[in-house]
Amino acid sequence: MELDRRRPGQSDIVTPRKEEDRVEILSGIFEGRTTGTPIAMLVRNSDQRPGAYDEMRDKFRPSHADYTYQAKFGIRDHRGGGRSSARETVGRVAAGAIAKKILALGGGASGAIPGGVEIRAFLTQVHDIIVPAGALSEFPSLADVEATAVRCPHRATSERMIERIRAVRSEGDSVGGVIECRVRGVPVGLGEPVFDRLEADLAKAMLSLPATKGFEIGSGFAGALMRGSEHNDVFVPGKDGQVHTATNRSGGTQGGISNGEEIVFRVAFKPTATILRPQTTVDSEGAATELIGRGRHDPCVVPRAVPIVEAMTAIVLLDHWMRQAAQNRTFSF
Amino acid sequence: MELDRRRPGQSDIVTPRKEEDRVEILSGIFEGRTTGTPIAMLVRNSDQRPGAYDEMRDKFRPSHADYTYQAKFGIRDHRGGGRSSARETVGRVAAGAIAKKILALGGGASGAIPGGVEIRAFLTQVHDIIVPAGALSEFPSLADVEATAVRCPHRATSERMIERIRAVRSEGDSVGGVIECRVRGVPVGLGEPVFDRLEADLAKAMLSLPATKGFEIGSGFAGALMRGSEHNDVFVPGKDGQVHTATNRSGGTQGGISNGEEIVFRVAFKPTATILRPQTTVDSEGAATELIGRGRHDPCVVPRAVPIVEAMTAIVLLDHWMRQAAQNRTFSF
Amino acid sequence: MELDRRRPGQSDIVTPRKEEDRVEILSGIFEGRTTGTPIAMLVRNSDQRPGAYDEMRDKFRPSHADYTYQAKFGIRDHRGGGRSSARETVGRVAAGAIAKKILALGGGASGAIPGGVEIRAFLTQVHDIIVPAGALSEFPSLADVEATAVRCPHRATSERMIERIRAVRSEGDSVGGVIECRVRGVPVGLGEPVFDRLEADLAKAMLSLPATKGFEIGSGFAGALMRGSEHNDVFVPGKDGQVHTATNRSGGTQGGISNGEEIVFRVAFKPTATILRPQTTVDSEGAATELIGRGRHDPCVVPRAVPIVEAMTAIVLLDHWMRQAAQNRTFSF
Amino acid sequence: MELDRRRPGQSDIVTPRKEEDRVEILSGIFEGRTTGTPIAMLVRNSDQRPGAYDEMRDKFRPSHADYTYQAKFGIRDHRGGGRSSARETVGRVAAGAIAKKILALGGGASGAIPGGVEIRAFLTQVHDIIVPAGALSEFPSLADVEATAVRCPHRATSERMIERIRAVRSEGDSVGGVIECRVRGVPVGLGEPVFDRLEADLAKAMLSLPATKGFEIGSGFAGALMRGSEHNDVFVPGKDGQVHTATNRSGGTQGGISNGEEIVFRVAFKPTATILRPQTTVDSEGAATELIGRGRHDPCVVPRAVPIVEAMTAIVLLDHWMRQAAQNRTFSF
């Protein structure tokens, strides 16, 4: 179940906070099938300990949303668990699970493979521990991703990542990382030419996640270091009768529209803002003060963000699939 | 005039294609003032040479949108100048010019500086020529940006960039680069907590531009290399009575909402796909063939993308300003 | 409480179905105040008797949504209480209650009266029992509306309406009616000139309610019977320094924009489709069959629709108020 | 051509103002076919005589948008031809002409007839001249509608309408009327169950037109005078294998969704606000004054509104068709 992949308390390297994340389906399902009407799902915040957050009532936690919420709304719920908490993402995972199911059905669209759309996210970096270039040339299996607590399918690297997270945790500190996401089975033609390019909506979806600082698709920032003659993906006739590209520096889209190749993008996550060390800050009166993080937080949220990245990817793809079905006489589910 | 900054033919390092880009204002202006009704502007494509594109009728240009358009729509206008051309961005610059004017007015919002919002984009990288770290600590002036044809305010670097572009052009090749954009004077409170985070909408806006491959805000991908204790922006009381942060690794937003610090982000551009060299490709029948780029294209589009990045930034900020005014009793223009 | 005005079982002339309609507020409220984040409210369907609807599994009820749902979605939840049930409107009333509170605050906008916006809906017709022309020239008080079970402030008429509903019920039949809604305290300037005219959005809101068949504003259909010289609302200087109209055939909007006069519109409701008489129909195999309505239904839903009409009015007005605040430098809450 | 049906100057009973309404297609068409990209069309306002409107600079015309525009925007273009002019509708007709073409193609959807969707609007009332009940039981042909200048397919009534318009014009006055619109060939399943009901979007579309005061579908306001047992449309097996209804008081939708029967609705138009008689009014300083209408205006705009009603109908239907194609695996164009 997708929600369990996001849930805290999965291993010793993530937050011990227990969120059961039990989903109650309120509507839209009848006798085991969707009815076409909206599916409402409810996940209640359990295991809240409001007392643990008392100090945050008057002090702004650095690199959290405390100050901006206060300034924007003139009021803020200082207890954890609100919309500025990553707990917000449980709804995304629940919705994404449904989107994934629909995408897995494939459909009659040109280029859609029989197995449907498959989305695989995984860690390629924790702090300065990075999967070696070229080590993951194949589409990683879900089993390989889920084999370790960090969700990095490159076993040797995953062990070093886990060590690093443990070391950082023992110092009351935190680290960030990078998630790569690949998608195969996407038909040619998803995405709009101008504002709603497929990569634009993927970028928005990823930057809408807590703690993200960057997005790149295909060659990404490294692409700026190449020449056009090196970077261009030349077209070749495919064995499947489709047009393909010899390389995939485009990352699966050209002109904002999927080209049938693997969609490949990466998302950068900053280190968790909550650390168990004293930090200077300002209180709600504007006076300098100090804050000591307590609570139960992740030294590294990135492994738990893997299903969230997949969920948002599924949602973006399904939205564009629906748009294309609306526009195009020959495109259907 | 903003449009002239985007226009081709500005210097010898960009495309010699002449686009006059004369704007005709069709509606929304009466006696020199906006009427509150939509402002329609029309820029006609002039200096088109359809004949120059005849070869593209049947061949897909590598890393262009030819193939994806054909697959998506079942038809395509093979001549340059359509929506898959960067000429599409002229509309963005025209709209952005109006957004900039409104933002420059500032407004009564808390944190808005008297001079209003100021947006400054500039190049920090062309190919592997990069502005040295820390060399641009101050907010660059428009004059410094516009001083050279590459729009890099670091003079020594700009000269090397120009050399590189000339060298690459002489080989019929192309290069990409990176644009940094900074914004000051943004009031605290712009952006929505979940899906429409300010950085999410900026990311979407940037990835909606032709040739972009990446977006990062604040610490960006490099932030993944830091620890939480290094990365956190501690709050300090400001001399202006506002809360400020001692560092700005957040890049001006926290929890998706502007915090009153400078907004700082970077956008990666791939090398121009059109090169004046023979490339293998596939024709509309799916057969392998060869294509020789002709036409008049930029060896490096990045300098001309500077006003486009600024325009999209202005549009995103103004949209969020309007949303905040709609939501918030004390926030107005 | 608004929900109690909509709830069944209020008197002997409405459905005896008991829906407690207890609202659970899931988010958006903290320590008695809204936090600016979305307010989620949950009302569970109680007192469902799924068995009572068994016959509808295979038979389409005339003038219900059974057939169209089946055709649209290929599946349908045949039990009552879904989105094709008027129970769906409980969410509208809950949201409208909040919109009403905000509108009642008034605001700094030109033309907003100190008491804020006041919305009053009431019955003017049940079957062929109609409030006499001119009998309700004043803005009816809430007390007068709520004084009788039919929510018609004209006492003599309300008694005849109640009699008629009782008579119709005893025959297992049903009747419809007309609701008039008046709004005072609306500032000048709400509404957009072209597609999103204020009356257009009101019309949509009203026709989105179950059982509605018509909408008219101001003079409405009767306006077609007048000449321009009779129909035009001439402007007169108001004692309050504002511009006013001598008559109000426009119904409070001109050119799609509120003009500061009372907004006055009427909504036609068809007779309840569920009747306790045998009716011929078709089953899901397309064969002719007969259906006998049972269940507990209203012989006339119109009195219970009064708070729903008010709720949708409040939602439309607040949306436009927010749009105007977003657009207009001098307009705020 | 649709635009010519809307154009002034078609006969002696409409405005003699000459608007050539020549459409320039700016984009989206290539070699005679649509490219899938947006179709931009430009119609310039010709035959403007700004001088004729000088008096309106300082005086508010009764029942026009002059005052509300001034109040909303703080500025207004007092010359005719802006968005408060019915000339705005030319864009709707141009867009509707394309929507009609697509709808006429029909499609593979269940219930779509081979001939595709056919939309026919026509006058049933001018002032108090009304087509006799039951006189138009058949779907009127386009030829019958276009046979007379008033676009009423009932010949005897149309002649009386024309007389009335001539009489009213000679007195410098104006009249309104009612348009009925019927649509056949609509597949079952268009429309959303709650807010975006098909009739709700039709109501909005119609009330977004200048001079409209009411909308009713099927039985409409008269439906409030019926009992449920009279009003219900019982289902019957159709000869075509589809489910049909014996009557059509629903007007083609049930539960907000098209049921495959004819869509039938009516729209009320007020008398033209511009009359050639002196009227009292207020000037921009708030002082009482008098205004004498001049200019060249229609004594009755309703005949020219027929193609506009059809255009908006086509746009709404096509939008819902696209939505349904996006949602539904088996529904396509």
Side-chain angles (χ1 to χ4, degrees):
Chain A
M1 181 60 193
E2 294 292 329
L3 292 183
D4 290 334
R5 298 177 66 204
R6 190 211 75 96
R7 194 170 47 80
Q10 304 169 39
S11 75
D12 68 330
I13 61 160
V14 296
T15 176
R17 208 172 49 224
K18 285 207 184 89
E19 298 169 5
E20 276 192 48
D21 289 355
R22 202 171 305 172
V23 184
E24 181 186 359
I25 294 177
L26 298 172
S27 70
I29 308 285
F30 176 56
E31 299 181 343
R33 291 204 295 153
T34 59
T35 60
T37 59
I39 299 170
M41 297 184 277
L42 176 63
V43 181
R44 289 179 189 274
N45 245 336
S46 56
D47 192 34
Q48 270 189 303
R49 306 189 195 169
Y53 292 87
D54 274 357
E55 197 178 4
M56 284 76 161
R57 180 182 278 272
D58 299 313
K59 297 179 181 176
F60 300 130
R61 287 170 295 165
S63 289
H64 272 273
D66 298 344
Y67 167 62
T68 51
Y69 268 58
Q70 184 71 42
K72 182 180 186 74
F73 299 115
I75 180 178
R76 117 190 110 95
D77 184 346
H78 65 280
R79 304 163 305 173
R83 294 208 302 164
S84 61
S85 161
R87 293 193 207 174
E88 163 265 308
T89 57
V90 69
R92 308 185 189 226
V93 174
I98 292 169
K100 275 186 176 181
K101 285 198 173 194
I102 299 171
L103 289 169
L105 298 172
S110 142
I113 60 167
V117 173
E118 211 176 348
I119 301 171
R120 188 82 70 248
F122 48 88
L123 267 74
T124 57
Q125 181 179 341
V126 165
H127 205 192
D128 59 354
I129 318 282
I130 305 176
V131 171
L136 295 174
S137 56
E138 299 221 339
F139 195 86
S141 72
L142 180 60
D144 283 349
V145 172
E146 296 297 310
T148 67
V150 283
R151 295 202 168 93
C152 170
H154 191 253
R155 188 59 67 96
T157 307
S158 74
E159 282 163 15
R160 295 177 55 218
M161 288 172 168
I162 290 172
E163 270 172 52
R164 175 63 51 88
I165 293 172
R166 285 198 179 118
V168 162
R169 155 184 257 174
S170 69
E171 299 167 36
D173 213 338
S174 65
V175 284
V178 173
I179 287 177
E180 179 167 311
C181 185
R182 297 193 195 164
V183 194
R184 63 178 176 187
V186 177
V188 190
L190 301 190
E192 299 299 318
V194 181
F195 296 112
D196 296 342
R197 291 177 171 234
L198 190 59
E199 63 265 40
D201 277 330
L202 287 169
K204 174 168 178 170
M206 297 306 139
L207 268 295
S208 83
L209 295 175
T212 53
K213 302 304 290 178
F215 169 90
E216 58 177 15
I217 187 162
S219 62
F221 279 87
L225 295 169
M226 301 172 84
R227 289 172 175 236
S229 55
E230 298 166 295
H231 192 277
N232 281 357
D233 293 321
V234 300
F235 288 111
V236 290
K239 292 169 193 164
D240 57 358
Q242 300 276 326
V243 171
H244 284 285
T245 60
T247 50
N248 188 18
R249 295 192 183 100
S250 298
T253 76
Q254 285 170 334
I257 299 165
S258 63
N259 66 354
E261 305 301 316
E262 261 185 37
I263 293 177
V264 182
F265 62 84
R266 281 164 299 281
V267 187
F269 289 80
K270 69 171 186 178
T272 319
T274 301
I275 54 175
L276 305 185
R277 294 175 168 203
Q279 297 179 90
T280 56
T281 187
V282 164
D283 66 20
S284 52
E285 304 300 311
T289 181
E290 192 176 74
L291 181 82
I292 303 176
R294 285 192 206 93
R296 300 148 298 161
H297 290 275
D298 285 308
C300 182
V301 294
V302 193
R304 283 178 52 216
V306 163
I308 308 170
V309 164
E310 291 183 357
M312 292 305 292
T313 304
I315 291 167
V316 168
L317 289 174
L318 186 56
D319 278 349
H320 276 282
W321 198 309
M322 291 173 75
R323 287 178 75 159
Q324 178 67 350
Q327 287 173 38
N328 195 313
R329 179 178 281 270
T330 59
F331 202 96
S332 68
F333 280 93
Chain B
M1 182 58 194
E2 293 293 328
L3 292 184
D4 290 335
R5 298 177 67 206
R6 190 210 74 98
R7 193 170 49 79
Q10 303 170 39
S11 75
D12 68 330
I13 60 160
V14 296
T15 174
R17 207 172 49 224
K18 283 208 186 89
E19 298 170 5
E20 276 195 46
D21 289 354
R22 201 172 304 173
V23 184
E24 180 187 359
I25 294 177
L26 297 173
S27 70
I29 308 285
F30 177 56
E31 299 181 343
R33 289 204 296 153
T34 60
T35 59
T37 58
I39 300 171
M41 297 184 277
L42 176 63
V43 181
R44 290 177 188 273
N45 245 337
S46 55
D47 191 35
Q48 271 188 302
R49 304 187 195 172
Y53 291 87
D54 274 356
E55 198 180 3
M56 285 76 161
R57 179 182 278 274
D58 299 314
K59 296 180 182 176
F60 299 130
R61 287 170 295 165
S63 288
H64 272 273
D66 299 344
Y67 168 61
T68 51
Y69 268 58
Q70 184 72 41
K72 183 181 185 74
F73 299 115
I75 181 180
R76 115 191 111 94
D77 183 345
H78 66 280
R79 305 162 306 173
R83 294 207 302 162
S84 60
S85 161
R87 294 191 206 177
E88 163 266 308
T89 57
V90 69
R92 309 185 189 226
V93 174
I98 293 168
K100 274 186 175 182
K101 284 197 173 194
I102 299 171
L103 289 168
L105 298 172
S110 143
I113 61 167
V117 174
E118 211 176 349
I119 300 170
R120 188 82 71 249
F122 47 88
L123 267 73
T124 58
Q125 181 179 341
V126 164
H127 204 191
D128 59 354
I129 318 281
I130 304 176
V131 171
L136 295 174
S137 56
E138 300 219 339
F139 195 87
S141 72
L142 180 59
D144 283 350
V145 172
E146 297 295 311
T148 66
V150 282
R151 295 203 167 93
C152 169
H154 192 253
R155 188 59 69 97
T157 306
S158 74
E159 283 163 15
R160 294 177 54 220
M161 288 171 167
I162 291 171
E163 269 171 55
R164 174 64 50 88
I165 294 171
R166 285 198 179 119
V168 161
R169 156 184 257 174
S170 70
E171 300 167 36
D173 213 337
S174 66
V175 284
V178 173
I179 288 177
E180 179 166 312
C181 184
R182 297 192 195 166
V183 194
R184 62 180 177 186
V186 177
V188 190
L190 301 190
E192 299 299 319
V194 182
F195 296 113
D196 296 343
R197 292 177 170 235
L198 190 58
E199 62 265 40
D201 277 332
L202 287 169
K204 173 167 180 172
M206 296 308 139
L207 268 295
S208 82
L209 295 175
T212 54
K213 302 305 290 179
F215 170 90
E216 58 177 16
I217 187 162
S219 62
F221 279 87
L225 295 168
M226 302 172 82
R227 287 168 176 242
S229 55
E230 298 166 296
H231 191 278
N232 281 356
D233 293 322
V234 300
F235 288 111
V236 291
K239 292 172 190 161
D240 56 359
Q242 300 278 325
V243 171
H244 285 285
T245 60
T247 49
N248 187 18
R249 293 187 187 106
S250 297
T253 76
Q254 285 169 336
I257 300 164
S258 64
N259 67 353
E261 304 302 315
E262 261 185 37
I263 292 176
V264 183
F265 62 85
R266 280 165 299 280
V267 187
F269 289 80
K270 69 172 186 178
T272 318
T274 300
I275 54 175
L276 305 184
R277 292 175 169 204
Q279 296 178 90
T280 57
T281 187
V282 164
D283 66 21
S284 53
E285 304 300 312
T289 181
E290 192 175 74
L291 182 81
I292 303 175
R294 286 192 204 92
R296 302 148 297 160
H297 289 275
D298 285 307
C300 183
V301 294
V302 194
R304 284 176 54 214
V306 163
I308 307 171
V309 164
E310 292 183 356
M312 290 307 291
T313 304
I315 290 168
V316 168
L317 289 173
L318 186 57
D319 278 348
H320 276 282
W321 198 309
M322 290 174 74
R323 288 178 75 158
Q324 178 68 347
Q327 288 173 37
N328 195 312
R329 180 178 281 269
T330 59
F331 202 98
S332 66
F333 281 92
Chain C
M1 182 59 193
E2 294 292 329
L3 292 185
D4 291 334
R5 299 177 67 205
R6 189 209 77 96
R7 194 169 47 79
Q10 304 170 39
S11 75
D12 68 328
I13 61 160
V14 295
T15 176
R17 208 172 48 223
K18 285 206 184 91
E19 298 170 6
E20 276 194 47
D21 289 356
R22 202 171 304 172
V23 185
E24 180 186 359
I25 295 178
L26 296 173
S27 70
I29 308 286
F30 177 57
E31 298 181 344
R33 290 204 295 154
T34 59
T35 59
T37 58
I39 299 170
M41 297 183 279
L42 176 63
V43 181
R44 289 178 189 273
N45 246 337
S46 55
D47 191 34
Q48 271 188 303
R49 307 189 196 169
Y53 292 87
D54 273 358
E55 198 179 2
M56 285 77 161
R57 179 183 279 273
D58 299 313
K59 297 179 180 176
F60 300 130
R61 288 170 295 166
S63 288
H64 273 273
D66 298 344
Y67 168 61
T68 50
Y69 268 58
Q70 184 71 42
K72 183 181 184 74
F73 299 115
I75 181 178
R76 116 191 111 95
D77 183 346
H78 66 280
R79 305 162 305 172
R83 294 206 303 164
S84 61
S85 162
R87 294 193 206 174
E88 163 266 309
T89 57
V90 68
R92 308 185 189 227
V93 174
I98 293 169
K100 274 186 175 181
K101 285 198 173 193
I102 299 171
L103 289 168
L105 298 172
S110 144
I113 62 167
V117 174
E118 211 176 349
I119 301 170
R120 187 82 69 247
F122 48 88
L123 266 73
T124 58
Q125 182 179 340
V126 164
H127 205 191
D128 59 353
I129 319 281
I130 305 177
V131 171
L136 294 174
S137 57
E138 298 221 339
F139 194 87
S141 72
L142 180 60
D144 283 350
V145 172
E146 297 296 311
T148 66
V150 284
R151 295 204 167 92
C152 169
H154 191 253
R155 188 59 66 97
T157 307
S158 73
E159 283 163 15
R160 295 176 54 220
M161 288 172 169
I162 290 171
E163 270 170 54
R164 175 63 51 89
I165 294 172
R166 284 198 181 119
V168 162
R169 155 187 258 175
S170 69
E171 299 167 36
D173 214 337
S174 65
V175 283
V178 173
I179 288 177
E180 179 166 312
C181 184
R182 296 193 195 165
V183 194
R184 63 179 176 187
V186 177
V188 191
L190 301 191
E192 299 299 318
V194 182
F195 297 112
D196 297 342
R197 290 178 172 235
L198 190 59
E199 62 266 40
D201 277 332
L202 287 169
K204 173 168 180 171
M206 296 308 139
L207 267 295
S208 81
L209 294 175
T212 53
K213 301 306 289 178
F215 170 90
E216 59 177 16
I217 186 162
S219 61
F221 279 87
L225 295 167
M226 303 172 83
R227 287 171 176 239
S229 55
E230 300 166 294
H231 191 278
N232 280 356
D233 295 320
V234 301
F235 289 110
V236 291
K239 292 171 191 162
D240 57 359
Q242 301 277 325
V243 171
H244 285 284
T245 61
T247 49
N248 187 18
R249 295 190 186 101
S250 298
T253 75
Q254 285 170 335
I257 300 164
S258 63
N259 67 353
E261 304 302 315
E262 260 184 38
I263 292 176
V264 183
F265 61 85
R266 281 164 299 281
V267 187
F269 289 79
K270 68 171 186 179
T272 318
T274 300
I275 54 176
L276 305 184
R277 293 175 168 204
Q279 296 179 89
T280 55
T281 188
V282 164
D283 66 20
S284 52
E285 305 300 312
T289 182
E290 192 175 74
L291 180 81
I292 303 175
R294 286 193 204 90
R296 300 148 297 161
H297 290 276
D298 285 310
C300 183
V301 295
V302 193
R304 284 176 53 214
V306 163
I308 307 172
V309 165
E310 291 184 356
M312 290 307 290
T313 305
I315 290 169
V316 168
L317 290 173
L318 186 57
D319 278 349
H320 277 282
W321 199 308
M322 290 173 75
R323 287 178 75 159
Q324 179 67 348
Q327 286 173 40
N328 195 313
R329 179 178 282 269
T330 59
F331 202 96
S332 66
F333 281 93
Chain D
M1 181 60 194
E2 293 293 328
L3 292 183
D4 289 336
R5 298 177 66 205
R6 191 211 75 97
R7 194 170 47 79
Q10 303 171 39
S11 75
D12 68 330
I13 61 160
V14 296
T15 175
R17 207 173 48 223
K18 285 209 185 86
E19 298 168 7
E20 276 195 45
D21 290 353
R22 200 171 308 172
V23 185
E24 180 186 358
I25 295 177
L26 297 173
S27 69
I29 308 285
F30 176 57
E31 299 182 341
R33 290 203 295 153
T34 60
T35 59
T37 59
I39 300 170
M41 297 184 279
L42 176 63
V43 181
R44 291 178 187 275
N45 246 336
S46 54
D47 191 35
Q48 270 189 304
R49 306 188 194 170
Y53 291 87
D54 274 357
E55 199 179 2
M56 285 74 160
R57 178 182 280 273
D58 300 313
K59 297 179 181 177
F60 299 130
R61 287 170 297 166
S63 288
H64 272 274
D66 298 345
Y67 168 62
T68 51
Y69 268 59
Q70 184 71 41
K72 183 180 185 75
F73 299 115
I75 180 178
R76 118 191 109 95
D77 183 346
H78 65 279
R79 303 163 306 172
R83 293 207 303 163
S84 61
S85 161
R87 293 191 206 176
E88 161 266 310
T89 57
V90 68
R92 307 187 190 225
V93 175
I98 292 168
K100 274 186 176 183
K101 286 197 172 194
I102 299 171
L103 289 169
L105 298 173
S110 142
I113 61 167
V117 174
E118 211 176 349
I119 301 170
R120 188 82 71 248
F122 47 88
L123 266 74
T124 58
Q125 182 179 339
V126 164
H127 205 190
D128 59 354
I129 318 282
I130 304 177
V131 171
L136 295 173
S137 56
E138 299 219 341
F139 195 87
S141 72
L142 180 59
D144 282 349
V145 172
E146 297 295 311
T148 66
V150 282
R151 295 203 167 92
C152 170
H154 191 252
R155 187 61 68 96
T157 307
S158 74
E159 281 163 16
R160 295 176 55 220
M161 288 173 169
I162 291 171
E163 270 172 53
R164 176 63 49 89
I165 294 172
R166 285 198 180 117
V168 162
R169 155 185 259 174
S170 70
E171 300 166 37
D173 214 336
S174 65
V175 283
V178 173
I179 287 177
E180 179 167 312
C181 184
R182 297 193 195 164
V183 194
R184 62 179 175 186
V186 177
V188 191
L190 301 191
E192 299 298 318
V194 182
F195 297 111
D196 296 343
R197 290 177 172 235
L198 190 59
E199 62 265 40
D201 277 332
L202 287 168
K204 174 168 180 171
M206 297 307 139
L207 268 294
S208 81
L209 295 175
T212 54
K213 301 306 290 178
F215 170 90
E216 59 178 15
I217 186 162
S219 61
F221 279 87
L225 294 168
M226 302 172 84
R227 287 171 176 240
S229 55
E230 299 166 295
H231 192 277
N232 280 357
D233 295 320
V234 300
F235 288 111
V236 290
K239 292 172 191 160
D240 55 359
Q242 300 277 326
V243 172
H244 285 285
T245 60
T247 49
N248 187 19
R249 295 189 186 103
S250 297
T253 75
Q254 284 169 335
I257 299 165
S258 62
N259 67 353
E261 304 302 314
E262 261 185 38
I263 293 176
V264 182
F265 62 85
R266 281 164 299 280
V267 187
F269 289 79
K270 69 172 187 178
T272 318
T274 301
I275 55 176
L276 305 184
R277 294 175 166 204
Q279 297 178 89
T280 57
T281 189
V282 164
D283 66 20
S284 52
E285 305 300 311
T289 181
E290 192 176 75
L291 181 81
I292 304 174
R294 284 192 205 92
R296 300 148 298 160
H297 290 274
D298 284 308
C300 182
V301 295
V302 194
R304 283 177 54 216
V306 163
I308 307 171
V309 165
E310 292 183 357
M312 291 307 291
T313 304
I315 290 168
V316 168
L317 289 173
L318 186 56
D319 278 349
H320 276 282
W321 198 310
M322 289 173 76
R323 287 178 76 158
Q324 178 68 349
Q327 287 174 37
N328 194 312
R329 180 178 280 268
T330 60
F331 202 97
S332 66
F333 281 92

